């Protein structure tokens, strides 16, 4: 068999993977701007309309590890194509939905397809991209993900200006169709595989993991979900499900998530750092708008433009960050990225209060490249040592750990901000209280980045060993 490291990856492959990543990130971000219109169109409350966003995020979160595992078992290309077809069909269902319930159902199916589009591109890149270009490929995937996040709200707003909300979902179907065409043309067929035994799917482990992640998602979403159970009850349920999941996976003959993968120094540290960095990344999105609106007094349009600075910078620096990873090594760039993240978060805690909007934008320009540098390096470090049988699983776990961090950040960092501010209503708080809470939140975020840096230093204390299952 020819070693993939000896040949150059065809550019169409990277284009197909980038298109899939862009489609999945657009699926997350484009719907947020539609919520006010949906409340009027269906005559529902804001909490009910929020399920259009939450349904997609939760579906991605609970299925992303299984999506990666299915790629390992049935073939990466085959599962990727099925995911794109599901995304197209779900987008069409969403576009034609006569009720909010059917729209939410369409978003659930769309999220399952989105999980595949997030999990498998890293696996396919590891399979088809030469080792010396893997960092660049990871950087490109990071660029398209950030670009989709930045483009979604603007694209959704443009659609609403010229048409109705249904056109946004037809547009998503079009993006997915283009990605499907590229995937069919550019990704080489999977190796011939025999029948996969049912036990290889680890159905008990999958079921428990879904319960665990649904409970955790609802707990971290708090009152936004409208669910009757309190976050504390849901959190306790998530802890119980986590203990059961460990017990089930320890005894499974073909576990969905082998405990050896999580206990391995390199891979386990990579997932832990992903959670920490995802948590602080989310703080800029959920806490930043309160400071910009109620402390700096900016209007909605200006706040939207300022918030787009981060994703836009991320889209610009993703590929260069990947190239630096290829040139200087994943571990070195990971440490640099985490150290710069600490600096950027401290800048965010200090500069906006001293220099206003200019300080806020300057801090984002320092912070965002650091995030991209870390993500490209960490993804490369985890995937570089993965065997062919483990690539889908590991890429799914990378996606899951990042999503868990984002959900944790949305809940924990907002709670911290409110606690320091002294009130849950930022509109009624004093300007100085809002600014003080903002600074305290990002000072704590810098501490989380320091913990991630310590984890990175700890994970490199021993010589690198092959990831579990590596050939």
């Amino acid at each position: 068999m020819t070693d993939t490291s000896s040949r150059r990856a065809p550019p169409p492959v990277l284009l197909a993977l980038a298109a899939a990543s862009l489609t999945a990130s657009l699926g997350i971000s484009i719907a947020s701007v539609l919520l006010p219109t949906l409340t009027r169109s269906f005559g529902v409350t804001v909490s009910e309309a929020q399920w259009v966003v939450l349904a997609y995020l939760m579906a991605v979160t609970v299925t992303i590890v299984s999506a990666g595992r299915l790629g390992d078992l049935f073939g990466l290309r085959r599962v990727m194509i099925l995911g794109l077809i599901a995304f197209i069909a779900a987008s069409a269902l969403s576009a034609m939905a006569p009720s909010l319930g059917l729209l939410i159902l369409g978003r659930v199916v769309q999220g399952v397809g989105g999980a595949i589009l997030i999990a498998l591109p890293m696996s396919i890149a590891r399979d088809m991209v030469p080792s010396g270009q893997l960092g660049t490929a990871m950087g490109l995937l990071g660029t398209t993900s950030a670009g989709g996040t930045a483009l979604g709200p603007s694209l959704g707003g443009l659609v609403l200006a010229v048409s109705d909300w249904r056109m946004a979902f037809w547009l998503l179907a079009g993006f997915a169709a283009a990605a499907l065409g590229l995937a069919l043309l550019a990704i080489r067929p999977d190796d011939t595989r025999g029948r996969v035994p049912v036990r290889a799917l680890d159905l008990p482990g999958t079921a428990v993991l879904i319960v665990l992640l649904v409970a955790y998602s609802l707990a971290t979403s708090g009152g936004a979900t409208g669910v009757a159970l309190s976050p504390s009850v849901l959190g306790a349920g998530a802890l119980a499900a986590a203990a059961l999941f460990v017990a089930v996976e320890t005894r499974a003959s073909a576990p969905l998530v082998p405990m050896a993968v999580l206990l391995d120094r390199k891979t386990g540290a990579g997932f832990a750092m992903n959670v920490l960095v995802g948590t602080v990344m989310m703080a800029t999105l959920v806490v930043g708008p309160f400071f910009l609106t109620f402390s700096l007094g900016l209007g909605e349009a200006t706040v939207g433009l300022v918030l787009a600075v981060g994703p836009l910078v991320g889209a610009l620096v993703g590929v260069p960050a990947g190239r630096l990873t290829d040139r200087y090594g994943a571990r070195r760039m990971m440490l640099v990225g985490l150290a710069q993240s600490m600096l950027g978060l401290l800048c965010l805690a200090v500069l906006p209060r001293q220099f206003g909007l200019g300080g806020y934008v300057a801090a984002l320009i320092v912070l965002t490249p650091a995030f991209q540098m870390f993500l490209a390096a960490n993804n490369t470090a985890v995937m570089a040592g993965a065997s062919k049988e483990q690539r889908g699983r590991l890429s799914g776990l990378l996606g899951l750990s990042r999503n868990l961090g984002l959900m944790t950040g949305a809940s924990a960092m907002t709670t911290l901000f409110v606690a320091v501010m002294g009130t849950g209503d930022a509109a009624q708080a004093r300007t100085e209280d809002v600014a003080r809470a903002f600074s305290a939140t990002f000072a704590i975020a810098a501490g989380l980045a320091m913990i991630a840096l310590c984890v990175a230093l700890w994970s490199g204390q021993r010589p690198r060993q092959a990831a579990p299952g590596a050939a």
Side-chain angles (χ1 to χ4, degrees):
M1 182 182 294
T2 304
D3 186 354
T4 56
S5 64
S6 65
R7 60 178 183 271
R8 294 185 63 83
V13 170
L14 295 181
L15 185 60
L17 300 180
S21 177
L22 176 67
T23 300
S25 60
L26 279 174
I28 296 174
S29 62
I30 199 172
S32 59
V33 76
L34 306 178
L35 295 183
T37 301
L38 291 173
T39 59
R40 293 191 296 269
S41 179
F42 291 115
V44 296
T45 65
V46 173
S47 293
E48 290 170 329
Q50 279 182 329
W51 277 100
V52 175
V53 174
L54 290 171
Y56 185 93
L57 288 173
M58 289 178 60
V60 168
T61 301
V62 302
T63 58
I64 193 167
V65 176
S66 298
R69 183 59 175 153
L70 288 173
D72 289 335
L73 294 175
F74 297 103
L76 298 173
R77 180 180 186 269
R78 187 177 295 117
V79 175
M80 171 73 85
I81 289 170
L82 289 175
L84 285 164
I85 292 172
F87 195 98
I88 294 169
S91 298
L93 173 61
S94 300
M96 296 184 293
S99 66
L100 182 65
L102 278 178
L103 174 57
I104 291 171
L105 175 62
R107 289 288 283 171
V108 169
V109 178
Q110 196 179 54
V112 174
I116 293 173
L117 305 188
I118 293 171
L120 296 195
M122 283 191 289
S123 307
I124 295 171
R126 176 63 185 88
D127 192 35
M128 300 188 68
V129 174
S131 299
Q133 299 176 23
L134 186 57
T136 300
M138 297 301 173
L140 176 62
L141 294 177
T143 291
T144 52
S145 178
T149 302
L151 181 62
S154 301
L155 196 59
L158 180 62
V159 166
L160 291 178
V162 300
S163 185
D164 65 2
W165 62 266
R166 298 180 187 275
M167 183 56 63
F169 293 106
W170 286 122
L171 197 62
L172 285 176
F175 275 101
L180 176 60
L182 289 169
L184 289 170
L185 291 173
I187 302 175
R188 66 167 177 261
D190 299 304
D191 296 334
T192 302
R193 296 170 182 255
R195 290 178 60 86
V196 177
V198 173
R199 58 184 166 78
L201 299 177
D202 188 18
L203 297 180
T206 300
V208 176
L209 182 63
I210 288 174
V211 172
L212 162 61
L213 294 175
V214 167
Y216 186 79
S217 299
L218 293 175
T220 54
S221 298
T225 61
V227 173
L229 295 176
S230 68
S232 59
V233 172
L234 291 166
L239 286 175
L244 179 59
F245 180 71
V246 172
V248 169
E249 295 302 274
T250 301
R251 293 168 174 76
S253 58
L256 176 67
V257 183
M259 291 299 104
V261 169
L262 299 183
L263 295 176
D264 176 74
R265 180 181 286 261
K266 293 293 182 182
T267 53
F271 301 143
M273 289 185 290
N274 240 18
V275 172
L276 289 168
V277 170
T279 299
V280 299
M281 284 174 64
M282 195 63 180
T284 62
L285 298 177
V286 297
V287 176
F290 291 103
F291 174 79
L292 294 170
T293 301
F294 298 109
S295 185
L296 297 186
L298 303 181
E300 292 181 357
T302 306
V303 170
L305 289 174
V306 174
L307 292 179
V309 170
L312 287 174
V313 172
L316 291 174
V317 303
V319 172
R323 288 175 178 165
L324 288 173
T325 298
D326 287 334
R327 182 171 182 179
Y328 296 108
R331 173 171 166 74
R332 183 177 300 173
M333 297 315 300
M334 188 189 307
L335 295 175
V336 171
L338 290 172
Q340 186 174 328
S341 295
M342 287 177 53
L343 174 62
L345 290 164
L346 289 174
C347 287
L348 205 53
V350 174
L351 295 184
R353 294 185 71 181
Q354 299 297 321
F355 303 104
L357 179 58
Y360 191 97
V361 172
L364 284 183
I365 292 174
V366 173
L367 182 61
T368 305
F371 285 154
Q372 289 295 83
M373 199 178 303
F374 165 78
L375 290 172
N378 191 48
N379 291 344
T380 301
V382 171
M383 296 302 298
S387 70
K388 192 168 186 179
E389 293 73 23
Q390 294 274 15
R391 289 169 190 169
R393 173 185 286 147
L394 290 179
S395 62
L397 286 169
L398 280 170
L400 173 62
S401 59
R402 183 166 180 248
N403 268 26
L404 289 177
L406 294 175
M407 289 191 301
T408 303
S411 174
M413 303 310 278
T414 302
T415 301
L416 173 63
F417 175 74
V418 169
V420 177
M421 187 168 57
T423 176
D425 188 354
Q428 301 301 319
R430 295 187 308 159
T431 299
E432 179 55 30
D433 289 339
V434 175
R436 178 169 49 84
F438 175 84
S439 294
T441 299
F442 283 98
I444 297 296
L448 294 178
M450 183 177 67
I451 294 173
L453 180 60
C454 292
V455 172
L457 292 170
W458 167 80
S459 70
Q461 287 179 350
R462 296 178 184 174
R464 177 169 177 82
Q465 300 174 350

